[in-house]
Amino acid sequence: MSAVPVDPALERLFVADAAIVKVGRKVRVLDAIGWPATMETRFLERLRAGNPELPQPTTQPQALDAEVAALDAIMQGIDRGHPIGHWLWKTAWSYRVAAQMLRGIGTPEFSRCSILLYGRPDTKYQSQDVTADDAARDMLATTDHLIDSRLIPETPCNMTAEQFAVRIRERIDPFFTDDKVAVVLNPDLASKAAAGSKQITLRATAMFSELDVEQLVQHEAFIHSATLLNGKHQPYVKSLGVGSPRTTRTQEGLATYSEIITGSIDLQRLRRVALRIVAVGQALQGADFMEVFRTFLDAGQTEVESYRSAARVFRGGDVRGKVCFTKDGAYLEGVIMVHLFICKALHEGRADILRMLFCGRVNTADVITLTPFLQSGLIVGPRYVAPWAQSPERVLATMAFSAATEKFRLDTFNLDRFVEYEDERIAESGIGC
C-alpha cells in the first residue's frame, strides 16, 4: 500500500468520510419500506375469492431528524474545492435525500426524493433522443416479435434453496480468495436473493432453476459482493465500502450488464426488468396498485410474481398511485449508462478505468473522479474483478459483433429463406446445372 503524504486537508476529509459512513448506516431504505408477507397472502386470497382490494401497507414515515441534522453539518464542513471533498459531499447529499425520502413515506415527497436518487423512466437526457421507458417498450416489443410472451417456455425451478446454496458456494469460493462470503438461508427475505460483503442470502422457501445459478453468481456475487468487498479493502476512503444511494443506478446497471455480457440473462428476466420500468412509469402517472398488478399479469407473470413485482414499485409509496419507489427504473437506465460508459472508455483506449468500476461502490462519475488518485495510493485498485472485465478484448469483441449485426432485419424473411438463398447461389453459379 502506497503511503499518502500527510495533508491536513486530506485528514479533514478522512474525518468527514468516517462521519458519513457512521450516519449513512442508519439510513436503511429497504428495511424501512418492506412489506410483510401477510399482505401478500391477504391480497391473493381476496383476489382469488373474486373480491380484490388494494394492499394496506403499515409502513410509516421514519424519524430521522437527528441523521438529517448530522448530514447537514457534515456537508457544510466539507471542502468541495478538493475533488475528493466534492465526491464526499455528493455522497453525504445522497444519504440526506434518502433520509428525507424515508421521512416522507406515503407522501409526494417520497416520490420526489426517490426520483432524485434513482431517476424516472421518462427522463430524456440532453445528449440523447430516447428514454429508459422507450428502451423498455422497445425491448418488450422485440421479445414479442421473437416469441409470443405467452409462449416463452417456463424455466423449471426444481432446486431447493439448500441445493442452490451448494451450487453457489462452488462458484464463489474460488473467486473470493481473501475473504469469506457465506451463503445463508432466510425464510423472511422479500426477494429471492440479496448480497452483502459477508454473505449472500437466499430465501429459504424459494425454489431455484439452473439458470438462476449463473445469473446470481454474475449479478450478486461478482458485482454486488465484489464491489462492497473492494470498497472495504480501500485503505483510506471508507465510503467506498458502503452502498450510498447515489451509486444504485450504476451498481444495478453493472450487475445487469454482467448478466448480459456473459450471456447468463434469459428472456423472461429481461422482460421482467423492462416491465418493471414500464410499471414505474405507470405508477408515476397515476396507476394504482391493481392496475400495475394487472400489467404484470397480462404480460404473462403468475399472480404471485405479479404481486411481488407491483409491491416493489409501491413500497414506501401510495397504493392509489402517483407516489411510488422508482428504484426499479434504475436497472435499465443503469445498464444503458454502464454500456455506453464502457463503450466510450474502450473506444478511447481507457481499459484501465473499466477495472475502476469495481474499486468500491461507485457510479460512473466517481470512476472519472477517483482514477487520478490511484497513482498516489489514496485509492487502490480492486482486489476482485468479474472475469469478463479482466479481459477488455472480450468485451470489445462482443460489442463489435453486436454493432455489425444489429443492422440486419428479422422481419423481412423467414427460415425458409435460408434454403432458398443456397438454391439461388447454386443456380447462379452455372456449375453442374
Side-chain angles (χ1 to χ4, degrees):
M1 181 177 70
S2 302
V4 175
V6 176
D7 181 341
L10 276 179
E11 292 293 337
R12 288 191 292 271
L13 291 178
F14 294 156
V15 172
D17 173 54
I20 291 170
V21 171
K22 182 178 180 180
V23 179
R25 284 181 173 144
K26 300 176 183 178
V27 183
R28 303 181 64 84
V29 173
L30 297 184
D31 289 346
I33 63 176
W35 285 6
T38 52
M39 280 179 52
E40 176 183 323
T41 302
R42 177 177 173 82
F43 176 85
L44 294 175
E45 285 176 349
R46 298 297 295 268
L47 178 77
R48 291 162 184 166
N51 188 25
E53 66 177 14
L54 292 175
Q56 299 177 9
T58 57
T59 46
Q60 298 294 324
Q62 300 286 294
L64 293 169
D65 293 355
E67 287 74 19
V68 167
L71 288 164
D72 284 340
I74 293 169
M75 292 164 66
Q76 290 172 6
I78 291 176
D79 176 14
R80 296 178 65 185
H82 193 289
I84 296 294
H86 184 57
W87 169 74
L88 284 172
W89 186 92
K90 291 189 291 185
T91 298
W93 172 87
S94 74
Y95 280 117
R96 172 67 168 80
V97 174
Q100 188 162 324
M101 179 178 72
L102 297 181
R103 292 200 298 177
I105 284 175
T107 73
E109 183 67 3
F110 181 86
S111 273
R112 188 181 81 86
C113 293
S114 179
I115 290 167
L116 286 172
L117 293 175
Y118 311 117
R120 56 181 296 153
D122 57 358
T123 298
K124 183 177 289 187
Y125 292 97
Q126 188 173 357
S127 61
Q128 304 299 323
D129 298 323
V130 297
T131 67
D133 187 76
D134 294 331
R137 292 179 185 275
D138 284 347
M139 203 173 291
L140 291 169
T142 299
T143 55
D144 278 338
H145 286 147
L146 289 173
I147 183 169
D148 187 283
S149 62
R150 284 167 288 282
L151 297 179
I152 297 174
E154 286 290 331
T155 302
C157 293
N158 49 17
M159 244 187 291
T160 66
E162 291 83 358
Q163 293 169 329
F164 190 70
V166 173
R167 296 288 302 279
I168 297 303
R169 287 191 190 98
E170 291 172 350
R171 291 295 311 279
I172 69 174
D173 285 350
F175 180 76
F176 294 113
T177 53
D178 300 326
D179 294 271
K180 176 63 177 177
V181 178
V183 182
V184 301
L185 306 183
N186 180 352
D188 299 321
L189 190 67
S191 58
K192 286 182 73 171
S197 61
K198 295 181 179 179
Q199 65 184 40
I200 294 172
T201 307
L202 308 176
R203 193 197 311 145
T205 56
M207 295 295 290
F208 296 85
S209 71
E210 189 65 33
L211 285 174
D212 288 332
V213 175
E214 194 62 23
Q215 286 176 2
L216 189 141
V217 167
Q218 294 295 337
H219 188 111
E220 303 290 353
F222 289 173
I223 302 300
H224 289 329
S225 293
T227 55
L228 267 178
L229 281 170
N230 289 332
K232 291 182 183 301
H233 285 300
Q234 289 291 336
Y236 300 106
V237 184
K238 298 304 180 181
S239 290
L240 287 169
V242 293
S244 68
R246 58 184 286 273
T247 66
T248 298
R249 266 184 280 193
T250 294
Q251 288 299 310
E252 296 297 354
L254 183 62
T256 307
Y257 183 84
S258 186
E259 292 182 56
I260 294 171
I261 200 70
T262 59
S264 58
I265 198 167
D266 64 270
L267 202 56
Q268 292 190 58
R269 173 158 170 74
L270 189 64
R271 286 178 64 83
R272 283 199 300 272
V273 170
L275 280 166
R276 287 171 181 172
I277 287 147
V278 172
V280 168
Q282 289 176 328
L284 288 172
Q285 292 298 320
D288 66 14
F289 181 93
M290 190 61 68
E291 292 173 281
V292 171
F293 169 80
R294 294 288 181 191
T295 293
F296 289 111
L297 199 63
D298 292 344
Q301 291 192 7
T302 66
E303 290 178 347
V304 172
E305 290 173 331
S306 298
Y307 171 86
R308 291 174 180 172
S309 294
R312 291 172 64 99
V313 175
F314 284 97
R315 51 188 170 169
D318 187 333
V319 294
R320 296 169 297 180
K322 289 191 180 296
V323 178
C324 68
F325 189 47
T326 63
K327 178 175 178 282
D328 274 349
Y331 284 69
L332 185 56
E333 183 180 353
V335 78
I336 291 170
M337 291 171 62
V338 166
H339 172 70
L340 294 174
F341 181 85
I342 292 174
C343 286
K344 193 64 177 175
L346 296 181
H347 180 261
E348 295 185 359
R350 295 293 310 278
D352 58 313
I353 64 175
L354 174 56
R355 291 178 59 86
M356 282 294 289
L357 282 167
F358 293 84
C359 73
R361 282 293 171 91
V362 297
N363 65 21
T364 48
D366 297 339
V367 172
I368 303 302
T369 299
L370 299 177
T371 297
F373 294 95
L374 279 170
Q375 188 172 0
S376 68
L378 180 60
I379 303 295
V380 299
R383 187 169 303 191
Y384 304 113
V385 177
W388 61 264
Q390 296 175 21
S391 304
E393 64 275 9
R394 293 172 59 188
V395 182
L396 283 169
T398 302
M399 292 191 309
F401 178 77
S402 297
T405 57
E406 67 181 7
K407 298 176 183 178
F408 289 91
R409 297 174 57 186
L410 295 178
D411 60 344
T412 58
F413 69 96
N414 55 35
L415 290 175
D416 291 337
R417 183 63 186 139
F418 287 93
V419 178
E420 295 167 1
Y421 176 64
E422 184 180 43
D423 290 345
E424 288 168 3
R425 284 194 301 116
I426 292 172
E428 290 171 359
S429 71
I431 300 175
C433 298

